[in-house]
Amino acid sequence: MQHPDEAFAKLAKLPSIDEAVQQYEQLGSQIRQELSQEIPDLTAWKDSQDSVGGSGCFNEEDGEKRHLPDYVVQKGVTDQQYEQALQIIGKMAKPIGFGDKPQRFHDSPGKHDSSFFNPRDNTTISFGTGKATVLQISVGCHLTPEAKKRGHPSES
Amino acid sequence: MVSISDIRKWNADQLEQARSEVQRELQVLTSEGDEFAGTKISEGDWTGKSSASAMAAHDKLLQQGDRHAAGLAAIVKGLAQASDAVRPLPRQINEAEELGRKYGFQVGENGDVTDTFAGKPLPPDIHPEDRERAKQEITAKLEQVVRTATDIDADLAGVFGKAGAGQYGVGQTGNLTTAAAAGTAAMALTTPDPPAGGTAAQNAAWWGTLSKAEQGAAIGATPDKIGNLNGVPAVARSQANMNRIPAMRARLMQRLKNSGSVDEIKSIEAKLKSLDKIKETMHRGNRSLLVLDDTHPRMEAAIGIGDVDGAKNVNVFTPGFTTTVDGSIKGYDSAMADLLQKENYLNRVHGGGSNAAVTWIGYQAPQADEVASSQSVALPQAAQHGGNKLAGFLSGVGVAHEANNAPLHLTALGHSYGSTTTGEALGHNTPANDAVLFGSPGEGWNKPHVNGGHIYSEQAATDYVPAAGHTSDLFHLPTSPGGPLGPDTYSDPNIQHMSTNIKANPEGGDPLAPAFGHSEYLNNGTTSQYNMAAVGSGHSELVKPETEGDRMLRDASYFTPGFMFGTPK
């Protein structure tokens, strides 16, 4: 287990949670745009309008994880289109630290679940298809703007 | 005592009509009475014997008027409250009848319950344990309807009795409007207390017999009575528990001032810190405070995320050894939020209903400094006691769904010693449909079982806690499986083992999503968490089962820690 100061120092090198959310919202938007362009079935993206919101991390005081709303197309895609979509997402996510190969949780004809993982900040991009196709981004642990400004862990 | 057939004839509208008529009479009385009081003969206006007599008669009439006005006002209030209070009763009887029709019971005119499947086989879609619970709920509803109705009847009869005996009123005031106000202010109907030691079904039935006004008053005025009551709706429990926090904090502060021993001070300080952590967790939003109990050495609490009473899929998570509210609730709430987000994702992709999750620390989880006590992590007592309480909580979730006529798929999740507590709970007749015991040192001694689904287990590489539970298996010893905390999950043939994606050399090769050791099962993005989300969201078809290769590598990990296995960072 890392010492709290060490863990804080590691998180301090990352953007604050607000900045990270902005960055990942932008990435999500670009991915959806690219998917729409390349796979015509994936055009009618709808914001799920809900999420469980934020949750704590790093002593539960100074850090925050944020679940962005899911984006949903109310139809599944073919197995071939799904593979194509994974390639697109991997290619776009790689420059900011994600592995270009996803973790494949489920694969059966017409049903797939995979996640791309960013080891820099533990953010995951989940992409699945079945009855619908969903893109989900869960932003990993980043310091709150207050903690980042403070520059050291709070006493909890 | 009133009967169900009496109550069936009760008519709230007639009570309201009677109230309206008495109110009109009261208005006439106060208006004319006050005018009459103003005509009081003053000494000097009229002197002599007949004058004194007239003044005495005037006073007497006013005294009578005072009692009548106050009595009528009390009756008006009593009728209004009774009219409001009886309205939920027929609805409760209807719900009991409806539930009876669903599960093959008939509610007779006088509330007798008969089994319409007696001597016949049950239809395949009715589970006998569900049916047994339904019968208990029907009986509880009818009992509580009679109990509340008897209370209303007695209270209203008391008001009439007191009014008839002239026991309301403020004495001679010369003002009947004031007398009527005193009658209105007097206590009329009281709300019956929750059933003593009630089950979730009885508590829910009691709550259902109260009017909205009575429920609101209970949340505001007597929150201690309902905050921890299984079967009462989550929203009401949460409001009540939040209302309890200021007084609880003040009491603890007072005790802190008067306490002398170091242990007591530490305990109170931890409870005060627990209240802070609870408030911070609640502040995350979309949360409900379902348990709040400071009467034990350590604070107990449970916090729900989402609509715990209405969501299709509800997950109740029980953590284990060293868990405290002050030290653990925020972290576990975060883990439940992550799990819920994954479940929402799965249900969007693959279809399914809404999801909710609860972090349940409603028991005294063993602590490191209790190893030598009866609360020891090596003994089943704390799990057995906690399991009884958890079973009640799970029943409350089931009953609340029945009350909302909402379908329920309930999953019990237990980690470490919390899996033993969960196993003990599942030995009772609970509405749980699935369970996941992970990092489990033993499933308890209560023969855990679920309705319709499965019990699953997860065991990660280098997690020595479950390994300790099945050393006989690990070393192929001819001893009976399991340790002091019950059979290990690997010796129970009814338990299905899910993958935690165990692989050697995690630093290189294919992208991995493994969980390692005892504390990574709920980490976001792991196969372990995915599997739990699949079970919890009702998609067990997505579960990645443990392979023989997984099992071999895991067993090898106990002998080569840190060499081939470890947490990739």
Side-chain angles (χ1 to χ4, degrees):
Chain A
M1 206 170 148
Q2 269 182 314
H3 188 275
D5 289 339
E6 228 177 284
F8 188 96
K10 199 175 160 193
L11 287 173
K13 289 180 189 154
L14 300 172
S16 73
I17 184 67
D18 289 352
E19 292 163 334
V21 163
Q22 209 175 6
Q23 181 189 348
Y24 280 118
E25 279 174 342
Q26 202 181 347
L27 175 68
S29 166
Q30 286 166 349
I31 289 173
R32 292 193 302 277
Q33 238 174 7
E34 188 70 12
L35 289 174
S36 300
Q37 252 175 26
E38 298 298 321
I39 305 170
D41 278 344
L42 295 180
T43 46
W45 291 102
K46 278 201 174 150
D47 179 343
S48 66
Q49 302 279 332
D50 69 343
S51 114
V52 294
S55 56
C57 58
F58 184 70
N59 77 22
E60 294 296 325
E61 308 291 333
D62 294 336
E64 194 182 329
K65 297 179 283 186
R66 199 83 65 82
H67 299 289
L68 305 186
D70 294 353
Y71 276 84
V72 185
V73 174
Q74 287 299 347
K75 66 199 292 195
V77 293
T78 64
D79 297 346
Q80 197 185 350
Q81 286 172 324
Y82 183 76
E83 296 305 323
Q84 188 188 353
L86 285 182
Q87 281 191 2
I88 290 168
I89 298 168
K91 201 171 140 194
M92 293 182 77
K94 194 177 179 183
I96 55 169
F98 285 84
D100 58 354
K101 278 186 188 166
Q103 298 159 353
R104 305 193 71 128
F105 291 110
H106 182 83
D107 284 306
S108 61
K111 283 174 99 168
H112 303 276
D113 287 313
S114 302
S115 283
F116 292 87
F117 181 69
N118 188 343
R120 286 184 199 167
D121 63 0
N122 294 342
T123 294
T124 55
I125 302 173
S126 299
F127 183 70
T129 194
K131 288 185 175 164
T133 302
V134 180
L135 181 74
Q136 180 184 76
I137 300 179
S138 291
V139 182
C141 192
H142 290 73
L143 293 179
T144 63
E146 299 75 35
K148 196 168 162 68
K149 199 172 159 192
R150 191 189 323 118
H152 59 83
S154 64
E155 288 174 26
S156 59
Chain B
M1 193 166 84
V2 293
S3 68
I4 290 288
S5 58
D6 292 334
I7 299 160
R8 286 181 192 276
K9 292 175 206 141
W10 284 10
N11 186 327
D13 292 338
Q14 279 181 358
L15 284 169
E16 173 53 26
Q17 197 183 335
R19 184 209 61 80
S20 170
E21 284 168 17
V22 178
Q23 174 81 55
R24 257 200 313 276
E25 296 298 325
L26 175 63
Q27 271 166 358
V28 172
L29 178 65
T30 51
S31 159
E32 306 218 337
D34 285 345
E35 197 178 323
F36 175 69
T39 63
K40 185 169 182 178
I41 305 146
S42 306
E43 282 188 37
D45 291 347
W46 182 15
T47 54
K49 207 173 169 185
S50 54
S51 157
S53 231
M55 278 194 278
H58 188 271
D59 284 352
K60 195 176 170 191
L61 281 169
L62 275 180
Q63 278 178 25
Q64 282 175 357
D66 177 275
R67 287 194 296 272
H68 287 158
L72 283 177
I75 288 171
V76 166
K77 183 181 177 183
L79 286 169
Q81 288 182 325
S83 160
D84 196 28
V86 303
R87 283 185 199 279
L89 304 181
R91 195 168 57 237
Q92 289 300 305
I93 298 173
N94 287 345
E95 281 181 16
E97 289 172 335
E98 187 60 39
L99 198 56
R101 277 192 284 278
K102 194 170 157 190
Y103 286 98
F105 296 105
Q106 185 163 8
V107 178
E109 181 58 25
N110 203 23
D112 48 312
V113 180
T114 49
D115 185 347
T116 57
F117 290 135
K120 296 181 220 162
L122 283 181
D125 60 331
I126 296 183
H127 193 286
E129 285 198 354
D130 288 345
R131 189 165 187 259
E132 181 53 37
R133 274 197 309 280
K135 189 181 177 190
Q136 287 168 9
E137 282 177 43
I138 293 163
T139 310
K141 274 181 191 293
L142 298 172
E143 278 172 2
Q144 294 305 313
V145 163
V146 169
R147 183 168 171 265
T148 298
T150 303
D151 186 76
I152 296 167
D153 192 45
D155 283 352
L156 192 57
V159 170
F160 278 111
K162 271 181 82 175
Q167 290 172 2
Y168 292 106
V170 289
Q172 188 179 3
T173 64
N175 187 324
L176 298 197
T177 303
T178 306
T184 303
M187 175 79 84
L189 268 62
T190 57
T191 302
D193 274 342
T199 61
Q202 288 168 328
N203 296 336
W206 163 76
W207 184 256
T209 65
L210 304 189
S211 67
K212 293 276 174 232
E214 288 173 313
Q215 291 175 348
I219 292 166
T222 56
D224 286 335
K225 288 183 183 170
I226 61 165
N228 295 329
L229 221 49
N230 296 321
V232 169
V235 172
R237 285 174 77 162
S238 187
Q239 286 174 353
N241 282 329
M242 291 303 283
N243 287 345
R244 295 170 64 209
I245 289 179
M248 189 178 281
R249 186 185 295 280
R251 244 185 355 255
L252 289 168
M253 295 291 283
Q254 190 59 41
R255 276 183 50 205
L256 192 61
K257 273 187 200 163
N258 301 332
S259 62
S261 81
V262 174
D263 283 351
E264 193 184 1
I265 290 170
K266 268 170 70 179
S267 164
I268 297 170
E269 283 177 343
K271 284 178 181 175
L272 286 165
K273 193 176 170 196
S274 296
L275 291 180
D276 293 339
K277 298 296 170 189
I278 287 166
K279 284 194 92 168
E280 287 165 19
T281 309
M282 292 296 292
H283 190 66
R284 288 173 174 168
N286 197 22
R287 303 300 198 271
S288 47
L289 181 54
L290 303 171
V291 174
L292 180 67
D293 187 352
D294 70 338
T295 61
H296 305 279
R298 292 177 294 284
M299 184 73 88
E300 295 180 1
I303 292 183
I305 312 175
D307 181 3
V308 176
D309 286 348
K312 169 73 169 54
N313 304 296
V314 179
N315 304 253
V316 177
F317 167 58
T318 305
F321 184 44
T322 71
T323 295
T324 59
V325 172
D326 51 313
S328 317
I329 200 148
K330 284 187 83 175
Y332 282 130
D333 177 82
S334 293
M336 285 302 102
D338 292 345
L339 184 72
L340 213 49
Q341 186 75 356
K342 184 59 76 182
E343 291 188 5
N344 290 345
Y345 158 85
L346 288 177
N347 280 343
R348 287 198 175 103
V349 176
H350 303 293
S354 54
N355 308 295
V358 178
T359 302
W360 187 85
I361 312 178
Y363 79 121
Q364 297 290 293
Q367 301 297 303
D369 59 2
E370 293 175 325
V371 172
S373 74
S374 61
Q375 269 282 312
S376 172
V377 68
L379 297 173
Q381 278 88 331
Q384 286 163 344
H385 186 62
N388 292 341
K389 291 167 78 175
L390 177 58
F393 184 83
L394 296 173
S395 296
V397 174
V399 166
H401 275 71
E402 283 288 355
N404 290 336
N405 208 14
L408 171 65
H409 166 249
L410 178 60
T411 302
L413 306 169
H415 175 233
S416 188
Y417 193 85
S419 72
T420 313
T421 306
T422 301
E424 290 287 344
L426 297 178
H428 297 266
N429 178 6
T430 75
N433 306 102
D434 282 306
V436 183
L437 309 179
F438 51 107
S440 177
E443 63 178 40
W445 294 105
N446 207 14
K447 297 190 173 73
H449 58 279
V450 291
N451 297 323
H454 295 99
I455 300 178
Y456 299 88
S457 78
E458 285 185 352
Q459 185 173 349
T462 68
D463 183 357
Y464 292 90
V465 173
H470 74 117
T471 45
S472 56
D473 178 34
L474 203 60
F475 291 101
H476 305 287
L477 299 175
T479 51
S480 63
L485 303 181
D488 74 82
T489 57
Y490 275 78
S491 66
D492 185 338
N494 298 316
I495 291 184
Q496 300 191 7
H497 312 300
M498 300 194 294
S499 173
T500 54
N501 207 357
I502 295 166
K503 288 180 184 174
N505 296 319
E507 299 292 343
D510 293 337
L512 300 169
F516 286 92
H518 192 54
S519 307
E520 293 188 354
Y521 292 96
L522 287 165
N523 278 12
N524 208 19
T526 57
T527 304
S528 161
Q529 186 219 34
Y530 179 88
N531 278 335
M532 278 189 237
V535 173
S537 63
H539 284 292
S540 55
E541 81 280 4
L542 299 174
V543 162
K544 281 173 89 79
E546 186 183 68
T547 62
E548 191 52 39
D550 280 341
R551 191 168 178 171
M552 280 172 60
L553 280 166
R554 188 199 55 235
D555 288 351
S557 78
Y558 301 129
F559 305 104
T560 52
F563 174 61
M564 287 172 71
F565 303 89
T567 306
K569 295 288 180 196

